[in-house]
Structures are given as C-alpha cells and as structure tokens.
Amino acid sequence: MNSVQSTSSLTVAKFGGTSVADYQAMLRCANIIKNDNSNRLVVVSASSGVTNLLVRLSQKNVSVIEQKDIVENIRAIQVNITQHLSSDVEAQLNQEINSLLDELTQHALTQLLQYSTKTADAILAFGEQFSSRIFAQVLQSVDIPGEYFNVQQVMKTNSLYGKAVVDLNQLSEQSTQLLAPKLIDKVIVTQGFIGQDSQGHTTTLGRGGSDYSAALLAEALNGTNLSIWTDVVGIFTTDPRITDQARAIKEISFGEAAEMATFGAKILHPATLIPAMRRNIPVFVGSSKEPEKGGTQIKQKVDSNPTYRSIALRREQTLVTVKSPAMLHASGFLAKVFGVLAKHELSIDLITTSEISVALTFDNPSGSTQSLITNAVVAELEQLCEVSVEHGLSLVAVIGNGLTCAKGIGQSIFETINDVNIRLICHGASANNLCFLVNEDEANYVVEKLHNTLFA
Ligand code: ASP
Ligand code: MG
C-alpha cells in the first residue's frame, strides 16, 4: 500500500455527488487521490440523486408505500457500486448498507407519525454515510490506505436543524485530537454536509453543504490546499448553458470568487470560501471526470486582475420597495424595517435608497415558487410604510477588479444592453462587483450580450 508520508502538505479533497455517483466515478476519484500524496483527507457528498430522494423521504405525509420505494431506490444506487468490489468487501458493505437502511426506515416511520425538523436532518444525513463507507473501500481496492471516519465526532453544531452552525472551537480541538493523528498513515474518508448537536442528534449544514464542511476541515487541520472535485472543469466566465463563449477561468482571487459564489455561480456553496480565506488556503476547483484538463485556482493573490472576470446570474429575485414620508430627515426608520425582516429571518441582498423610499432585494435560494415575502411580513411592514413587492426579476452580477475606481464601466456595461429595462443598479460597496436587476425573460439575453462584449 502506498502509505502517506510527510505531514508538511495536507490537501483536503472534496468529491461532489456526481464524482461519487457510481463505481467508475469513484474509481476516477481514487486515481486522483493516488496521483497526489498530499490528498489525505477526503470529504464526500452523497452519491448523485440520493440526497434528493432523502429530501422527499424527510417530508410530511410520505406514505409507507412511497417510503419503501425510496429506500429501495437508494439501496439500488449503493449496491450498484458495491457489486464491483471483491465479494467479501461487497458482502460486508451491503450488510452495513442494509442495517443503515433499516435505521433510515425507522426514522421515516417516526417522521410519518410525528414530523420534526430533527428527524428530517437524521434522514438527510444518510447519503453521506453510505458514500463515505463505500469510497473508503474503493480506495482500499486500489491499494490506498483508505479509512472511514464519522465526521460527527468533530463537526459539532448547534441545533438549528437544516441550517446548523458549526462550533469552530470544538471542530479545531476535536480534529486535532481525533483526526490529525490518523492522517499520518491513512487517507481518511469522511462525510460532508452533516454534523451533530450537543445532545448527540444529527444535524445538517444546508443543501450543498459538503463544500463548506471540507473548507471547515481544511481550516481546522491547518490544511495547505482544498480541492473541490465536481463535474465541470472549473469556474466559468459565465454559465456555459447561456453562451457557448463561456470559458474556464484559470485563476481568480478569493474576493472575486466569493462574489461569484454568492451571486449565483452554482459551482461552490457560498460559504465555502470563508474558512479558506481566514486561513489563506488556496482552493482548486476541477472535474473528477477530466482531471487532466486542470481547473480553477482560487487564491489570495493572483497574477492578473482584469476589470471583468465573470458574469453571474441569479433568477427569481424578489424586489421589495418600502416608502414613507416619515423617512425624510428621520432616523431609526430603516432600523425598524430591518427589525421586521430580521424577525422573519429574511436576509437582504441588495439595497438602494432615495429620499423617502428604499428598495431591497431578496434571493430565493430554494427556487421554490412560494414567495419568501409572506403576507405576514408585508402586513407587518405596512404598519411602518407603504410596501410594494415585485417578482419575476433576475439579478445580473458583473464580477471583476477595481470596479469602483475604473473609468467607463457604466458605459461598457449599459451601452451594450441599452435595449433592456434595468430595474435597479447596485454599485460601489465592493470593488469586485456591479449588480443590477432585469426582467426574468430578458436575463439570458443580457448575460449573453454582455459576455460577448466584455469578454470578446
Ligand atoms: N448531499 C448534500 C446535498 O445534496 C450535500 C452536498 O452534496 O454538498 O445537498
Ligand atoms: Mg454539491
């Protein structure tokens, strides 16, 4: 077995759902690990499709028949992988998978009797439990000293089920104690996305949270690199589904990448870069299908700082305008408005103001058709001011460098799209972005046209 040496460099490698979707995919990931000895901690997502099935299973009123169907679907995905391993390893893994599925069925029945977000999290966490166990064995099958590790020993969180907050001090302490010593001669495989609260209940960090788990572990273990292996060859100048002119970016600064992740480039969980930036850990994003194609390096200092780096698009934005003559020369009005929004746990995205009105935008991260701005929120705001709510808008973010001091950017951007109605513009808070809202049905046109001009 190729034992792992040198503690000087430590790469945390995270493999997303498509990278661990099936046996061939897992094998490609194993080769990536094999080709670079610094890969010593592996964080995996659930195999593609499994978390979506678990989400359905975790919902209210799922009939026992549908429950069984989902459990069998999940079993099929996992045993489809284990069948490629040696028969004794296959038998052992299938036994573990079966007993985990029994546990899962119990949780599903509990959920049917009495729904809770606590049980929902217990259910959602199973996908990573399967994939990490299987992937450790796939590593062993190609002579890498892979070993399963239960991340719940170190990823301690509060009890905000579905959106749990990690206790960084405990993570650092427990990782140093329980995880670091294992990394000396093993390649440890653990779960992204999941954690455990102080009462020992399973928690999750939010959809797509495995990237964030990996970044937190890299930070806790003083990692030298974080690699995010996905199914695209890095971060693109814009969504390639919008224009075939989009191209992969070789390197990008933390600041720019954070703006991109926040403003809709779906490639990284938006929180991923926060731990990496705290510890100045370079992040690589590449495709486990085509590792030879390289990918994007995200780091503090990059060689080139172009004015325009990329264009991100986020759909289904909600624009709320609050208006009150009482705002004129008054103080404290906005604090009250923000108080209402905070009470409803609504996070504001963009803000623009005029003398007596303020426009606020809200993201719809779940993509759900139900508005985040409920009647209750509107009613409460209406006690303070006039309120109008608009839907059907998309947010276009032009990401780059020095945008607050560059000359002529307004002209370059808006001249290009002078046939389009711009609903709101936000510029000045960050040198890394300029954002505006357009109608949903014109969004692709805007992005394509801007890309053609700014990245010609
Ligand atoms: N499996 C989880 C999800 O699908 C976490 C992740 O993949 O990052 O959301
Ligand atoms: Mg993901």
Side-chain angles (χ1 to χ4, degrees):
M1 289 206 172
N2 84 329
S3 72
V4 181
Q5 328 96 12
S6 134
T7 44
S8 59
S9 59
L10 165 61
T11 300
V12 175
K14 180 262 173 176
F15 293 103
T18 51
S19 298
V20 294
D22 53 41
Y23 176 71
Q24 291 308 329
M26 284 198 181
L27 215 48
R28 283 193 293 267
C29 298
N31 274 319
I32 288 172
I33 302 291
K34 208 169 195 175
N35 287 336
D36 179 354
N37 261 334
S38 74
N39 285 312
R40 290 184 288 131
L41 178 63
V42 175
V43 176
V44 289
S45 288
S47 300
S48 205
V50 171
T51 308
N52 285 346
L53 287 166
L54 292 168
V55 166
R56 176 63 192 136
L57 192 61
S58 73
Q59 288 166 349
K60 281 183 188 155
N61 302 326
V62 181
S63 71
V64 174
I65 295 175
E66 195 187 345
Q67 286 184 358
K68 284 201 172 122
D69 200 41
I70 293 170
V71 168
E72 286 322 309
N73 269 323
I74 295 173
R75 192 189 320 269
I77 293 172
Q78 309 296 191
V79 302
N80 190 25
I81 308 179
T82 59
Q83 64 168 331
H84 295 276
L85 294 160
S86 71
S87 50
D88 46 333
V89 173
E90 180 192 1
Q92 181 217 319
L93 275 173
N94 286 359
Q95 203 183 346
E96 287 176 45
I97 290 166
N98 289 339
S99 74
L100 284 168
L101 287 172
D102 287 346
E103 244 181 80
L104 176 61
T105 304
Q106 283 310 315
H107 286 301
L109 290 171
T110 306
Q111 192 70 322
L112 184 55
L113 291 174
Q114 191 179 20
Y115 175 88
S116 74
T117 54
K118 184 170 96 185
T119 305
D121 263 10
I123 291 173
L124 291 181
F126 275 83
E128 276 72 9
Q129 288 292 351
F130 298 122
S131 60
S132 54
R133 281 176 168 82
I134 299 172
F135 189 63
Q137 291 297 337
V138 171
L139 288 182
Q140 289 196 13
S141 75
V142 294
D143 285 345
I144 299 169
E147 188 175 293
Y148 164 89
F149 180 84
N150 183 357
V151 85
Q152 293 184 304
Q153 292 180 69
V154 298
M155 199 65 77
K156 303 295 178 187
T157 71
N158 66 6
S159 303
L160 202 58
Y161 299 110
K163 240 199 303 193
V165 180
V166 175
D167 181 331
L168 298 181
N169 288 333
Q170 283 208 60
L171 175 62
S172 160
E173 262 169 46
Q174 311 285 20
S175 302
T176 310
Q177 235 176 60
L178 303 173
L179 203 44
K182 290 182 186 287
L183 301 176
I184 296 166
D185 59 355
K186 294 276 192 285
V187 174
I188 294 298
V189 183
T190 197
Q191 307 81 42
F193 180 53
I194 71 179
Q196 187 180 63
D197 70 10
S198 59
Q199 292 130 59
H201 299 131
T202 295
T203 56
T204 65
L205 312 186
R207 289 305 305 268
S210 292
D211 295 340
Y212 183 47
S213 303
L216 287 173
L217 285 162
E219 176 185 41
L221 290 158
N222 264 319
T224 46
N225 289 86
L226 169 63
S227 298
I228 306 282
W229 293 100
T230 166
D231 54 4
V232 284
V233 294
I235 299 179
F236 277 67
T237 47
T238 198
D239 185 343
R241 285 168 304 186
I242 297 178
T243 165
D244 57 10
Q245 299 298 305
R247 49 182 186 262
I249 298 167
K250 280 289 143 211
E251 52 164 35
I252 181 170
S253 68
F254 279 134
E256 294 169 279
E259 296 287 348
M260 277 187 83
T262 311
F263 285 112
K266 288 264 150 50
I267 189 156
L268 282 182
H269 183 279
T272 311
L273 294 173
I274 299 168
M277 285 163 88
R278 278 195 296 249
R279 277 287 162 91
N280 193 11
I281 302 169
V283 180
F284 168 83
V285 180
S287 165
S288 66
K289 277 197 187 112
E290 306 172 291
E292 69 287 350
K293 288 206 171 156
T296 303
Q297 297 284 352
I298 310 171
K299 48 192 185 179
Q300 199 161 47
K301 281 222 153 44
V302 289
D303 292 335
S304 79
N305 293 291
T307 306
Y308 303 114
R309 179 80 78 183
S310 65
I311 305 170
L313 174 64
R314 210 158 64 177
R315 298 176 204 275
E316 288 176 46
Q317 308 299 293
T318 304
L319 177 65
V320 176
T321 308
V322 295
K323 183 174 168 194
S324 167
M327 210 175 124
L328 194 64
H329 307 306
S331 58
F333 170 74
L334 268 186
K336 285 185 199 143
V337 170
F338 289 175
V340 172
L341 298 170
K343 190 178 123 197
H344 291 272
E345 290 182 24
L346 289 164
S347 145
I348 305 164
D349 240 17
L350 306 181
I351 305 182
T352 62
T353 68
S354 81
E355 199 56 43
I356 59 162
S357 54
V358 181
L360 310 160
T361 76
F362 298 86
D363 186 21
N364 178 11
S366 65
S368 89
T369 46
Q370 241 181 337
S371 175
L372 293 167
I373 310 297
T374 57
N375 291 341
V377 176
V378 173
E380 245 179 275
L381 288 174
E382 274 174 344
Q383 307 204 330
L384 304 168
C385 51
E386 271 175 49
V387 183
S388 82
V389 181
E390 292 167 58
H391 297 283
L393 294 162
S394 289
L395 186 160
V396 178
V398 176
I399 316 275
N401 292 281
L403 292 174
T404 41
C405 47
K407 291 191 175 123
I409 60 161
Q411 185 175 10
S412 313
I413 294 172
F414 296 115
E415 174 96 40
T416 310
I417 48 169
N418 61 10
D419 51 345
V420 169
N421 170 238
I422 312 287
R423 181 61 189 84
L424 171 151
I425 301 173
C426 225
H427 177 227
S430 160
N432 292 130
N433 90 53
L434 181 152
C435 302
F436 54 91
L437 293 181
V438 296
N439 283 326
E440 200 89 54
D441 51 6
E442 287 179 312
N444 280 14
Y445 168 76
V446 165
V447 171
E448 189 176 4
K449 209 161 172 206
L450 267 182
H451 193 277
N452 283 344
T453 307
L454 304 181
F455 298 88

